[in-house]
Amino acid sequence: MGRIKLHDKEFDIYLSEETIQQKVRDLAAAINKDYADKHPLFIAILNGSFMFAADLFKHLTIPAEISFIKLASYKGMKSSGQVITAIGLDVELHGRDVIIVEDIVDTGKTLHNFLPKLQHHQPASLRIASLLNKPEATQFPLDIAYTGFVIPDKFVVGYGLDYDGLGRNLKEIYQLAGA
C-alpha cells in the first residue's frame, strides 16, 4: 500500500511498519539501560501515542508503570494554539522517575505548557520519549531524551497519528502527498 486517501487528502508511505518497530525496540533498549535500577512511571499522551506507548511498553524489561493523559492542540492539519486537557492524571508523581511518551513533538507547545504542571508535583526526574520530532516546526524547544525519528515539517498520519480522526489504525506512517 503505497498511497492512501483520508478525507480529501492523499498520503504516501513514509516509514514502514518494520522500520518503526525496530526503532521502538531500540528506544526500549536505551530506556531499559538508563533505568535499570529504577521503577519509572510512563505518562502517555493520548490520543496519538497509544500505539507507540503500547509497543514501547511491550519491550521494557524493567519494572515500570504507565498512565495516560489527554492533551490536544490540533484540529485538522493545524495546531489550534490552545492546549486542551480532557483526561486528568491520577497518579502520585512526587519522587518518581517520569517519562512522557509522545507520538510527535511538532511546535513543542503542548509539552511546553504541560511540563511545568508535572514539575509542580516534584518528580525525581522528568524526561521525554517521542517517536517523531519535527525540529523545523519547533517554536518551544524541548529536551527530548529519546527520539525515534527526526522528520521534516510535513504532515504525517498513521501509527496513532490522525487526520481529523482517520489513519490512527495504520501500521505505517504516511506523509502528505506532494508536501
Side-chain angles (χ1 to χ4, degrees):
M1 195 186 307
R3 182 169 276 201
I4 60 165
K5 184 170 184 174
L6 301 174
H7 295 297
D8 59 338
K9 306 273 186 235
E10 290 190 344
F11 297 86
D12 293 321
I13 192 150
Y14 181 67
L15 294 169
S16 71
E17 178 182 9
E18 297 77 23
T19 301
I20 294 166
Q21 291 304 319
Q22 182 58 57
K23 185 60 75 174
V24 171
R25 286 189 295 273
D26 293 346
L27 291 171
I31 292 168
N32 285 330
K33 182 176 179 239
D34 292 350
Y35 289 82
D37 59 344
K38 298 184 175 167
H39 180 155
L41 169 65
F42 289 78
I43 300 175
I45 309 295
L46 295 174
N47 287 337
S49 75
F50 78 100
M51 284 182 128
F52 174 46
D55 286 345
L56 182 69
F57 218 68
K58 290 177 203 172
H59 296 290
L60 294 176
T61 57
I62 54 172
E65 296 173 50
I66 191 165
S67 188
F68 297 86
I69 190 162
K70 186 166 185 174
L71 304 174
S73 64
Y74 262 77
K75 191 75 177 158
M77 292 175 51
K78 297 255 190 251
S79 178
S80 69
Q82 296 180 324
V83 178
I84 304 147
T85 305
I87 301 171
L89 189 61
D90 60 358
V91 177
E92 178 59 48
L93 302 181
H94 183 79
R96 297 290 309 268
D97 292 299
V98 176
I99 300 172
I100 304 299
V101 180
E102 261 287 29
D103 53 347
I104 187 167
V105 173
D106 198 322
T107 65
K109 182 169 185 160
T110 302
L111 285 180
H112 174 79
N113 288 335
F114 182 55
L115 290 175
K117 293 174 184 175
L118 291 181
Q119 290 287 11
H120 178 73
H121 293 278
Q122 301 176 327
S125 67
L126 183 57
R127 298 176 95 184
I128 301 167
S130 182
L131 181 65
L132 305 173
N133 182 16
K134 287 184 181 179
E136 294 171 20
T138 301
Q139 296 172 15
F140 300 88
L142 298 165
D143 180 17
I144 304 171
Y146 306 98
T147 299
F149 301 95
V150 174
I151 65 169
D153 186 15
K154 296 181 180 176
F155 193 78
V156 289
V157 298
Y159 194 68
L161 297 127
D162 75 307
Y163 170 44
D164 277 345
L166 295 182
R168 290 192 196 278
N169 60 315
L170 300 167
K171 295 176 187 176
E172 306 84 5
I173 292 178
Y174 291 78
Q175 183 175 308
L176 185 63

